[in-house]
Each structure stands twice: as structure tokens, then as C-alpha cells.
Amino acid sequence: MKEEQLNKDAKVCTRWALGLTAVFIIIFPGIMFVTGYDYSLAFFKGWTYVSFGWLIVAGFYIACRPIVEFFQQRE
């Protein structure tokens, strides 16, 4: 893979990561806080499970994607 393509893909991934982080951690809970939503313990647990699930899926994808690309280029 060429260096230019890697730099371009890195910029796209960085923008997606920052955008999704802003949405999931700042914007969505912030809107609920501004509207006066009453945070309950069950909601907090659910939100925590969703956040950790997101981290696990993202980590798995980030770890496995280079391996898949390696085997695709070998063929």
C-alpha cells in the first residue's frame, strides 16, 4: 500500500474516531442533560454496557483489520 493512501486513510479514521467519540460521550448525553432527563442507575448501567461494547467491537476491528488486509494482499 502506498504511503499517500495510508495517510489518507489515517485522516479518515481519525475524523471518524473523533466524531463518534464526540457523539457518544459528549453530544448525546449532553442533550439529555440539557433537557432535564432524570438519570437512573439502570440507565447508567445500560449506557456503560453500550460504551464498553463499542470499545470491544472497535478494538477487535482495529486489531483484526490489518491481518485481513495482509492476507488479502498475499493472494
Side-chain angles (χ1 to χ4, degrees), residues 11-50:
K11 287 180 184 177
V12 170
C13 290
T14 302
R15 289 180 188 144
W16 270 99
L18 292 175
L20 289 174
T21 300
V23 168
F24 282 121
I25 295 177
I26 299 170
I27 295 174
F28 185 71
I31 290 172
M32 295 177 71
F33 181 74
V34 172
T35 58
Y37 181 79
D38 186 23
Y39 288 96
S40 64
L41 182 59
F43 176 80
F44 182 74
K45 284 182 179 178
W47 188 256
T48 304
Y49 291 144
V50 169

